[in-house]
Amino acid sequence: MISIPKGTKDVLPADSYKWQYVENAAREVAALYGLKELRTPTFEHTELFSRGVGDTTDIVTKEMYTFRDKGDRSITLKPEGTAGAARAYIENGLAGGAQPVKMYYITPAFRYERPQAGRLREFHQFGVEVFGAKGADADAEVIALADALLKKLGLHVKLHVNSIGCPKCRAEYNRALKEYFAPRLGELCADCRSRYEKNPLRLLDCKEEGCRKINRDAPVILDYLCPECKAHFEALKGYLDLAGIEYSVDPRIVRGLDYYTRTVFEFVSDDIGAQGTVCGGGRYDGLIEEIGGAPTPAVGFAAGLERLLIVMEASGAPLPPPKGPKVYLAGLDGECRKKAFVLAQELRAAGISAETDHMERSVKAQFKYADKIGAEYVAVIGGNELAAGEMNVKRMADSTSEKVPFAKAAEYFSAK
Ligand code: ATP
Ligand code: MG
């Protein structure tokens, strides 16, 4: 038997309705906020991510699925959606159209991680990107969209916000971080020692317990913000208050991607432990320029669909059950089964979901099957019914039944 690759999952027919429910909810909320869908390729040139996501991030240093194709190009399966969206924005001239450009995507993403609950090698994201708007009102709208989706899904999560400033204030903060960590270098993990050299901000994102302890007393970025970044953060909090969205300021959030500037945020659930971050995002004013476009402010987020589903299940959030067919047509034998086949086609043509037997089962066994798949009605066609040109329709919920002429079948079920 050839088994599924580690860290990947099948979504089986019995479960796919859950995915469709979450995806539909995401599409509906995106439409309410005026976003249109963007679809970009599953793979991109590796350089897009090493430059865009940042070559000191965990994603780029450890987690990418990178390979050489037959043309000897370095190709990477997308580990996230923002870099591809930014590339598409530049390459398709969207910067030249009406601004801001508001887009969303639902995409698989690939990261070579140690698989565990809520951490996969292929996972899925609902992502939102708004290009061209620099004001904190745009940040607040993006956060409000995420908040609306999480509420629609019945989740109780906490919003944490922070500002990590612009390159100007961060230079000073990085100096302060280096000063703080210098005497403690020996206690840090090997990764953090290299982060210390290349990108001290990354130190704060380490998940090792030892490093996290040391991080607790590190200087706080909010004390180093320049006046403009401070004003932007104050404005963001003001807009969140106006929208009635609860939040707490967590100066420890830096996010795992290098392109963030100013606003960063996470929605966290207490229901699934370490993998409780269902949604993360922020402002990335430097990204478009970094990958070759004109300087363009932008803000967005990505939510992991697997984690949303895990948290929904863990917290007992309501999930509408899957629907069975409207009608199951049970034919007794030969001609009756043919009639069931024809009627199923007629009903489907009228937009009514219908099924019939393919397993040569008895009527009794067909009833059992219809019940199992959740059919709302079972229409039995035996010899007498065939002769009379009608079927015996039973409503499964209360076992009431009535005779319905074949010619009236579509009309009858349309009204139900
Ligand atoms: P974490 O800190 O949990 O590793 P991250 O900072 O790497 O998350 P992002 O890159 O911001 O996460 O991705 C956005 C969202 O995608 C996360 O909040 C999470 O819901 C989801 N996600 C990230 N990595 C994985 C993964 N390996 N498997 C499943 N979902 C993931
Ligand atoms: Mg990660």
Side-chain angles (χ1 to χ4, degrees), residues 329 339 342-343 346-347 350 352 381 385-386 388-391 393 403-414:
L329 292 136
K339 189 65 196 174
V342 170
L343 278 171
E346 279 178 29
L347 290 175
I352 298 153
I381 305 163
E385 283 84 7
L386 193 64
E390 59 185 22
M391 54 196 179
V393 176
K403 304 264 185 206
V404 177
F406 294 147
K408 292 255 159 71
E411 195 185 316
Y412 177 82
F413 287 114
S414 293

Side-chain angles (χ1 to χ4, degrees), residues 334-381:
E335 289 306 308
C336 300
R337 299 174 73 91
K338 272 192 194 146
K339 189 65 196 174
F341 181 87
V342 170
L343 278 171
Q345 282 297 93
E346 279 178 29
L347 290 175
R348 292 163 184 156
I352 298 153
S353 59
E355 285 192 52
T356 187
D357 181 55
H358 299 301
M359 305 302 291
E360 298 176 22
R361 278 185 279 239
S362 68
V363 166
K364 193 172 162 209
Q366 291 186 53
F367 252 106
K368 235 180 169 174
Y369 177 77
D371 192 39
K372 204 176 201 167
I373 61 173
E376 217 177 313
Y377 294 88
V378 176
V380 181
I381 305 163

Side-chain angles (χ1 to χ4, degrees), residues 59 63 79-80 111 113 118-121 123-125 205 207 255-257 260 266 274-275 277-281 302-307:
I59 292 182
E63 299 172 357
E80 51 89 62
R111 296 186 194 176
E113 302 207 63
R119 199 173 287 285
L120 293 156
R121 290 183 175 173
F123 62 101
H124 299 79
Q125 289 187 332
D205 203 30
K207 294 185 174 71
R255 309 289 312 133
L257 303 99
Y260 285 116
E266 291 180 348
Q275 268 69 251
T277 309
V278 291
C279 172
L305 298 188
E306 284 82 359
R307 286 196 199 173

Side-chain angles (χ1 to χ4, degrees), residues 109 127 133-134 138 171 186 188 267 288 304 317 387 413:
K134 63 179 191 303
L188 297 176
F267 283 90
I288 301 263
F413 287 114

Side-chain angles (χ1 to χ4, degrees), residues 39-40 63 97 118 176 185 195 254 301:
R39 299 190 187 198
T40 65
E63 299 172 357
L185 272 183
R195 289 173 183 135
V254 296
F301 73 78

Side-chain angles (χ1 to χ4, degrees), residues 163-167 169 225-234 262:
S163 172
I164 55 169
C166 61
C169 33
L225 294 184
C226 67
E228 293 79 19
C229 287
K230 203 173 251 170
H232 195 274
F233 192 46
E234 290 308 314
R262 294 186 168 167

Side-chain angles (χ1 to χ4, degrees), residues 21-287:
Y21 173 71
V22 172
E23 288 166 7
N24 289 341
R27 289 181 194 281
E28 280 165 26
V29 174
L32 278 179
Y33 281 77
L35 278 66
K36 298 225 164 68
E37 186 180 6
L38 168 76
R39 299 190 187 198
T40 65
T42 303
F43 57 85
E44 299 269 1
H45 293 296
T46 302
E47 198 191 349
L48 175 68
F49 302 115
S50 51
R51 289 217 342 239
V53 177
D55 49 19
T56 61
T57 58
D58 275 5
I59 292 182
V60 172
T61 54
K62 295 192 238 166
E63 299 172 357
M64 292 206 302
Y65 274 90
T66 299
F67 58 95
R68 296 222 155 249
D69 71 3
K70 289 193 166 59
D72 203 31
R73 301 170 194 91
S74 181
I75 294 292
T76 294
L77 303 182
K78 58 168 131 171
E80 51 89 62
T82 303
R87 180 203 46 70
Y89 174 82
I90 302 169
E91 196 165 358
N92 297 287
L94 301 185
Q99 304 296 303
V101 173
K102 305 199 267 182
M103 309 189 280
Y104 77 92
Y105 51 79
I106 296 175
T107 181
F110 306 86
R111 296 186 194 176
Y112 194 83
E113 302 207 63
R114 195 168 63 77
Q116 48 195 296
R119 199 173 287 285
L120 293 156
R121 290 183 175 173
E122 180 181 13
F123 62 101
H124 299 79
Q125 289 187 332
F126 165 64
V128 159
E129 320 287 357
V130 173
F131 293 103
K134 63 179 191 303
D137 49 328
D139 307 43
E141 190 171 282
V142 159
I143 292 174
L145 193 167
D147 182 69
L149 173 61
L150 297 168
K151 288 201 174 118
K152 192 179 172 80
L153 295 176
L155 293 180
H156 303 281
V157 288
K158 294 205 173 82
L159 168 63
H160 301 285
V161 298
N162 189 26
S163 172
I164 55 169
C166 61
K168 213 170 58 188
C169 33
R170 214 176 304 156
E172 204 179 311
Y173 180 57
N174 276 338
R175 263 197 299 279
L177 279 179
K178 283 191 118 168
E179 217 164 88
Y180 171 80
F181 282 106
R184 298 169 176 85
L185 272 183
E187 300 160 61
L188 297 176
C189 72
D191 280 346
C192 277
R193 285 199 290 274
S194 119
R195 289 173 183 135
Y196 174 87
E197 294 303 332
K198 294 188 195 137
N199 189 351
L201 194 68
R202 289 266 75 78
L203 287 160
L204 301 178
D205 203 30
C206 187
K207 294 185 174 71
E208 297 283 329
E209 202 36 56
C211 300
R212 287 170 77 124
K213 247 187 217 146
I214 299 172
N215 289 346
R216 254 170 238 153
D217 298 318
V220 164
I221 177 85
L222 292 176
D223 296 334
Y224 293 81
L225 294 184
C226 67
E228 293 79 19
C229 287
K230 203 173 251 170
H232 195 274
F233 192 46
E234 290 308 314
L236 169 69
K237 291 190 281 184
Y239 278 111
L240 291 176
D241 290 337
L242 285 176
I245 295 171
E246 275 180 44
Y247 61 89
S248 58
V249 174
D250 178 354
R252 301 279 157 223
I253 307 177
V254 296
R255 309 289 312 133
L257 303 99
D258 271 355
Y259 48 60
Y260 285 116
T261 52
R262 294 186 168 167
T263 308
V264 287
F265 64 91
E266 291 180 348
F267 283 90
V268 185
S269 158
D270 297 331
D271 291 321
I272 55 166
Q275 268 69 251
T277 309
V278 291
C279 172
R283 178 163 278 285
Y284 47 97
D285 292 347
L287 174 63

